[in-house]
Amino acid sequence: HFKDLVLPSIRKHIISVNPTCDIFLHFYNISSTSNPRNKEQKAKLYPNDVYFFNEATQIVSENMDDFTHNHNVSHFHQYFPYNKQWNFPVSLDNMIKQWNSIQKVWKQMVLHEQRKLGNSFSNRNDSRYQTVGIFRSDVLYKNNINVSDGSAVTALFNNFNTYRNDRIFYGLREYAEKWACGRFGYVEQYMITDFGKKHRLHSESFLYQLMEHWNIPISFRDICFHRVRATGKIKSGDCNHFGNAQKKKFDLYIASKKLLIGPHTRNGSDFDKLTAHSTFPPVSAVLHKCNVTTLSSHWIYNDLPSPADSDFVIYAS
């Protein structure tokens, strides 16, 4: 479903809006996936479809043997959030796959910069990517996304008082790096906090606290995309998880202890049309070279998907 659903939406709503970006993509080279929560039982995947993404600057694959060799996933099982609607251990394992995918695609971007800049890499901040967008590669995007329209942006939906959307981020490099690469190193510190003890290693809760820890000035945009399962099912309700906010626009408002600040009502018709999510091969990350953008796509912590759902794309400029 990446080739026929996801990729066309990426081209229409991301690449056409950010035509100067470099694109980096990471994916897991697996041919099937099972996840009871998503009603996926040995669902067929088509990982090689990612190579239809001919706009990508670099595409890197990873197999499960390499992943398990580099990550002791069972270590994190002690922190499983039994008080959340997750399935043990697959939901948490998929989150770790997501973290790895995002981190790997970031590394691709940095290695590309190093090769391009050579010995001057460390002294040439002006020539490095300044804006980075991190996106999932298993969703159907429904509205345009300009990765340069804010310093630390996430989608409006799926955010609550202690809950941060974990499926998309774009903005300045310094903030994007914390979002992309700050997770593994923060787990032990997080788990000794009162917040960590209460919420455990739940994806959106952990990300909320991580952003608070680094004082990242999160702002929201009315972006919509729907997850696409390996079975082809599109999660059409993905953008509706903010109650009465459907009829409001929260633009450029900073998230602090309160989730939404300064909303103003508007006609909800355009907003209601926003939908995005699609099924795709196990791709993890893509980076596109634009003015200041890095994109990494594909995370799911809420309805944790198959490993494909942990693939990410990075758009960078």
Side-chain angles (χ1 to χ4, degrees), residues 133-161:
I134 304 166
F135 300 81
R136 290 179 56 150
S137 58
D138 67 335
V139 302
L140 183 65
Y141 294 93
K142 302 301 289 186
N143 58 318
N144 291 348
I145 301 173
N146 182 343
V147 297
S148 299
D149 79 341
S151 59
V153 178
T154 190
L156 173 61
F157 72 92
N158 203 40
N159 287 281
F160 303 95
N161 288 337

Side-chain angles (χ1 to χ4, degrees), residues 72-84 86 88 92 95-96 99 183-184 186-193 195-203 206:
N72 179 14
V73 178
S74 61
H75 168 75
F76 300 99
H77 290 175
Q78 63 184 306
Y79 305 136
F80 187 85
Y82 290 101
N83 55 343
K84 307 294 182 180
W86 276 20
F88 180 86
L92 190 143
M95 184 186 73
I96 300 302
W99 292 8
R183 307 188 190 199
F184 285 108
Y186 182 58
V187 170
E188 305 305 324
Q189 181 179 350
Y190 165 82
M191 285 305 307
I192 64 174
T193 67
F195 186 94
K197 292 175 182 177
K198 177 180 179 180
H199 296 279
R200 312 287 289 174
L201 202 53
H202 174 256
S203 178
F206 175 83

